[in-house]
């Protein structure tokens, strides 16, 4: 199976949302999505349902990666899925089925059928996984996930596939990782975070994989790494694009074999970790530049979610602003003021290069400085906040530009002075300036100075 591009998955997900396939209609159904298409099938309580590319399949997926008769789902007391000897295989929660093997299929478990995703959705009330995704545990007031991907978050939480979260700095990749972990079956275990860009390469491997006593100078006692700390839970690899190539190779072994080898150890340890990777960099471009391993990228990209920037989600700013203001005022023990229409319009009009993180900081500043019962537009300090006596400055001009202008003014004045001392003789003035007469003539033209006549 090929790795899915974020744009393809998001387009298919949006199509599913429009069709209402995940909203619960009272009937159990199968939902399939691939590239820019989707299809759903209402299920009977018992029987056999076939999935494939052939016209006689119950759930027909018209994609070249799907075999004519790819898989079958057996309905009854226990729902099971069987691979029918397909060319590209069937993945259930990240595990590839042996041909003609039938394994239990739980609701909301993601099934890979070629390049398509298939999920069993129960009818009636929303599923437990979706309820968890919207619960206070998975999504406290201070953690806001873009509503447009709530359903896809629930799907990601219901399976064990690795996830890549893409988006600009500050869009909420860490918040989304919290939501996925909190809504998953691993919520009772740890969500361990590692910022791959924050540690030097010399310490990174020992922190991830751990080490044994005597593995290196200073290793006085054995220490488990973050992978072992995340056993039965989730490991968030933030800024995965900055992970050194040597460490990437070792991490790939962990993903493929489910075991970790401490530095200085000869015996690997089995672990069960769900991986979530986050980055604001273009991983596919890094793969093309040989700065990121292609095999690791494909292994991590079980699911890829792209989080839109805040300037692309303007409709969410009022809700976010009020939520952040209420939380910030509670922290400083102040009543929550209202936000005027003018102030809200100013918030919506701001470009927010720092995304949700910048908005949160701006609102926290308001909570501390505002003394009235309403936040007005004048109370909002957006961008870099500067306090203290005003200093006259030209903020619109680059310092390098000012320096170049000063040098030009100095050069022009020296030429004028040299011509005055030489009584207008360009040859003498050039000699005083240490340049040729031809260069002086060019400078006169460049600075718009008239060519003087010699004085008698």
């Amino acid at each position: 199976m090929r790795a899915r591009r974020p744009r393809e998955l998001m387009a298919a997900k949006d199509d599913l949302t429009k069709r209402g396939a995940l909203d619960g209609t009272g009937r159990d159904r199968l939902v399939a999505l691939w590239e820019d298409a989707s299809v759903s099938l209402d299920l009977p309580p018992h029987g056999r349902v076939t999935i494939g590319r052939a016209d006689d399949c119950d759930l027909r997926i018209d994609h070249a990666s799907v075999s004519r008769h790819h898989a079958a789902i057996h309905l009854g007391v226990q729902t099971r899925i069987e691979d029918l000897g397909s060319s590209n295989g069937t993945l259930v929660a990240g595990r590839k089925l042996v041909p003609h093997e039938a394994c239990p299929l739980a609701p909301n478990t993601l099934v890979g059928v070629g390049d398509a995703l298939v999920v069993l959705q129960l009818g009636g009330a929303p599923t437990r996984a979706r309820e968890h995704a919207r619960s206070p545990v998975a999504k406290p007031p201070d953690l806001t996930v873009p509503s447009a991907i709530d359903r896809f978050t629930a799907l990601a939480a219901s399976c064990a596939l690795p996830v890549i979260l893409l988006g600009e700095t500050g869009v909420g990749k860490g918040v989304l990782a919290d939501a996925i972990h909190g809504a998953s079956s691993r919520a009772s275990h740890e969500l361990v975070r590692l910022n791959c860009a924050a540690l030097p390469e010399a310490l990174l491997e020992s922190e991830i994989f751990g080490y044994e006593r005597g593995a290196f100078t200073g290793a006085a006692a054995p220490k488990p790494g973050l992978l072992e700390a995340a056993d039965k839970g989730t490991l968030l690899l933030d800024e995965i694009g900055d992970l050194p190539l040597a460490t990437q190779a070792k991490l790939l072994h962990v993903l493929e074999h489910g075991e970790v080898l401490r530095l200085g150890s000869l015996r690997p340890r089995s672990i069960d970790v769900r991986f979530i990777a986050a980055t604001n960099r273009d991983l596919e471009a890094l793969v093309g530049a040989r700065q990121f391993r292609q095999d690791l990228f494909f292994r991590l990209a079980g699911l890829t979610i792209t989080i839109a920037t805040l300037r692309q989600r303007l409709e969410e700013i009022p809700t976010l602003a009020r939520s952040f203001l209420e939380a910030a005022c509670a922290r400083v023990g102040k009543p929550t003021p209202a936000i005027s229409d003018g102030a809200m319009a100013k918030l919506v009009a701001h470009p927010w290069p720092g995304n949700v993180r910048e908005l949160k900081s701006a609102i926290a500043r308001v909570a501390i400085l505002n003394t009235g019962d309403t936040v007005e537009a004048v109370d909002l300090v957006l961008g870099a906040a500067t306090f203290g006596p005003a200093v006259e400055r030209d903020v619109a001009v680059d310092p390098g530009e000012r320096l170049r202008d000063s040098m030009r003014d100095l050069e022009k004045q020296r030429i004028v002075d040299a011509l005055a001392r030489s009584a207008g003789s360009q040859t003498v003035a050039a000699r005083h300036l240490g340049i040729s007469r031809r260069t002086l003539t060019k400078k006169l033209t460049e600075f718009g100075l008239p060519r003087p006549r010699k004085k008698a």
Side-chain angles (χ1 to χ4, degrees), residues 17 121 129 197 229 247 367:
T17 303
Q121 182 73 22
T247 310

Side-chain angles (χ1 to χ4, degrees), residues 6-227:
R7 192 174 303 165
E8 296 172 343
L9 280 174
M10 292 304 292
K13 180 270 303 178
D14 288 340
D15 185 56
L16 276 178
T17 303
K18 292 174 184 176
R19 291 169 181 255
L22 300 181
D23 288 337
T25 60
R27 292 171 294 183
D28 296 350
R29 62 173 51 190
L30 279 181
V31 180
L33 64 158
W34 67 97
E35 294 182 354
D36 57 351
S38 63
V39 66
S40 63
L41 173 71
D42 292 336
L43 297 175
H46 302 281
R48 182 175 181 265
V49 172
T50 55
I51 303 171
R53 189 162 40 89
D55 292 336
D56 60 348
C57 288
D58 300 301
L59 184 71
R60 185 171 181 270
I61 301 176
D62 187 13
H63 195 275
S65 66
V66 178
S67 298
R68 289 179 54 78
H69 296 91
H70 198 109
I73 292 182
H74 304 275
L75 303 167
V77 178
Q78 182 185 49
T79 301
R80 294 173 298 133
I81 183 168
E82 174 190 2
D83 180 84
L84 299 178
S86 63
S87 299
N88 292 322
T90 303
L91 292 176
V92 178
R95 185 177 73 86
K96 187 173 183 179
L97 297 183
V98 176
H100 303 291
E101 173 193 3
C103 78
L105 178 63
N108 278 348
T109 300
L110 283 179
V111 178
V113 176
D115 283 343
L117 291 177
V118 176
V119 63
L120 169 64
Q121 182 73 22
L122 296 185
T127 63
R128 185 184 180 201
R130 188 175 174 192
E131 289 172 350
H132 283 183
R134 298 179 180 275
S135 69
V137 174
K139 188 178 173 183
D142 218 16
L143 302 177
T144 305
V145 176
S147 58
I149 54 176
D150 276 349
R151 290 184 178 90
F152 205 53
T153 301
L155 287 177
S158 69
C159 69
L161 289 174
V163 178
I164 294 180
L165 304 178
L166 301 175
E168 290 184 4
T169 298
V171 294
K173 296 186 291 293
V175 170
L176 185 54
D178 281 326
I180 292 173
H181 173 75
S184 73
S185 60
R186 299 171 180 265
S188 60
H189 297 278
E190 291 293 322
L191 169 63
V192 180
R193 303 170 185 270
L194 171 66
N195 189 326
C196 300
L199 291 174
E201 186 173 353
L203 297 178
L204 195 58
E205 288 194 12
S206 61
E207 287 296 315
I208 296 177
F209 303 103
Y211 54 83
E212 296 291 352
R213 181 173 180 269
F216 50 83
T217 303
K223 177 187 175 182
L226 295 179
L227 283 166

